[in-house]
Amino acid sequence: MTESNRTASGTPVPGRAWLMLALATVGFAVNFWAWALLSPLGPRFKDGLDLSSFEQSLLVAVPVVVGSLGRIPVGALTDRFGGRVMFPIVSAATIVPVLYLGLAGHSSLAALLVGGFFLGIGGTAFAVGVPLVNAWFPPERRGLAIGVFGAGMGGTAISALTTVKLVDANSMSTPFLITAGVLAVYAVAAALLLRDAPGRTVPSEPLARRLAATVRLPITRQASALYAVAFGGYVAFSVYLPTYLKTGYGLSQADAANRMAGFVLLAVAMRPFGGWLSDRIGPVRVLAASLTTVVAGAVAQAFTPALAPVGTIAFLAMAAALGAGSGATFALVALRTPADQVGSVTGVVGAAGGLGGFLPPLVMGSLYGAYESYAIGLVLLAIVSAGALAFTLTAVRAPHAGGEGKARTGRRREPRTSGTTA
């Protein structure tokens, strides 16, 4: 058990823990900034390269799926080697595809897909930061801490707000070169300053055996299903919303990107709130409220109402709910996962969330190409969210009737062995 797990309720969190949280959050934001570089330029590539709706959706979805699946091995490696080693490696490795896309890889769909594939490395940073932060904080503060770290997903907002403007003002390579420079600075800073928590539990079993044990944990399956909806919905909107607004409402590329940035910023702000609230009333209640809001917002938007005010309210409500739900999901992970498996569980759950964001842009693009309407896609979102709500209130809630209350008072129930009903 880590030192943070032994911390008694009410014990002040050391200042170094907050410093590590800040460094991890910055690293997450920088890597997500890089991960999201192609999305704001999707409409431009569609026009310039004469792409179909499906090809455009595929272009912005490839980094998502690679970054999602890559979280599984990266999370397991973080359990073994620690965030101090893995954060600089992931950040430095992401520089290569960023430079490739900016300097040579934007002239054809094939080149963009190759660059986008390796750009997915940036998306794996999430699986590095969660176990790093989790080990530094006591159980009763982990919901807030991981929620604050999760706010680093706001790196996508940086991309949305700056990428198109930088291309218009300078050249296609400009945003990529700037992002590569920031990644290099962070990789050096992380190597010099980042530290793992004292007493960090280092697993001794082989990687394959640890991953198999992780999959058998009930919390892995439960959180994966919920995160596929909560964070997957956020990712899907953050990569596809500019296309949706441009096609469905006739907005300019810049206006659509700005509105997407507003969606992202609200979701980012609500993620720490979702974690903080989960520390107080329990993750299940926060998830239930969030998923109910997503169902209502998706149903309302399926009728394609005017953006002012109904459409804007629907999108902002979904943004807030998806952000809070994402924070609550990892508050649940922090509450119910054995200390030496947090990275592995985070990798699998994070992969599920990213994959949850991979399919909707493809589905939306295909449905619009067939029917010239996004209504069916939004109805499907409402149905999936309603199913996740029912799952939360039954399978997730019932086996843990008393666990969350204990966590709120700082008395963390010891995790059971994998394969049992926790």
Side-chain angles (χ1 to χ4, degrees), residues 24-251:
T25 304
V26 171
F28 183 28
V30 170
N31 279 277
F32 252 44
W33 175 8
W35 194 38
L37 281 170
L38 291 181
S39 176
L41 296 172
R44 178 166 304 209
F45 289 133
K46 180 182 180 181
D47 295 339
L49 300 175
D50 194 25
L51 305 180
S52 67
S53 294
F54 178 80
E55 288 173 332
Q56 180 187 356
S57 300
L58 182 64
L59 172 63
V60 299
V62 163
V64 173
V65 71
V66 174
S68 302
L69 292 175
R71 292 174 186 178
I72 297 175
V74 168
L77 289 170
T78 302
D79 277 340
R80 177 66 181 85
F81 297 106
R84 180 185 182 184
V85 171
M86 294 301 297
F87 240 133
I89 289 176
V90 167
S91 301
T94 305
I95 295 172
V96 177
V98 170
L99 288 177
Y100 166 77
L101 286 166
L103 298 176
H106 54 264
S107 58
S108 69
L109 176 61
L112 284 167
L113 291 176
V114 170
F117 180 90
F118 290 101
L119 192 65
I121 295 170
T124 68
F126 180 73
V128 179
V130 169
L132 173 72
V133 170
N134 186 81
W136 273 104
F137 285 81
E140 68 273 13
R141 303 296 292 274
R142 287 179 184 159
L144 173 62
I146 294 176
V148 170
F149 167 76
M153 68 187 189
T156 55
I158 300 174
S159 180
L161 289 169
T162 63
T163 303
V164 173
K165 293 181 176 67
L166 288 170
V167 170
D168 289 340
N170 298 280
S171 67
M172 179 62 72
S173 64
T174 303
F176 295 91
L177 294 174
I178 291 174
T179 307
V182 176
L183 281 166
V185 171
Y186 178 76
V188 173
L192 294 175
L193 301 175
L194 210 57
R195 296 291 183 272
D196 293 307
R200 183 180 71 88
T201 303
V202 179
S204 57
E205 292 184 331
L207 176 62
R209 186 178 300 173
R210 285 190 284 122
L211 287 176
T214 295
V215 173
R216 290 196 297 269
L217 287 172
I219 182 58
T220 304
R221 300 189 294 273
Q222 294 168 357
S224 293
L226 295 172
Y227 205 56
V229 177
F231 185 72
Y234 162 80
V235 170
F237 277 120
S238 67
V239 301
Y240 198 72
L241 197 55
T243 300
Y244 175 92
L245 293 173
K246 186 173 184 292
T247 305
Y249 286 94
L251 300 184

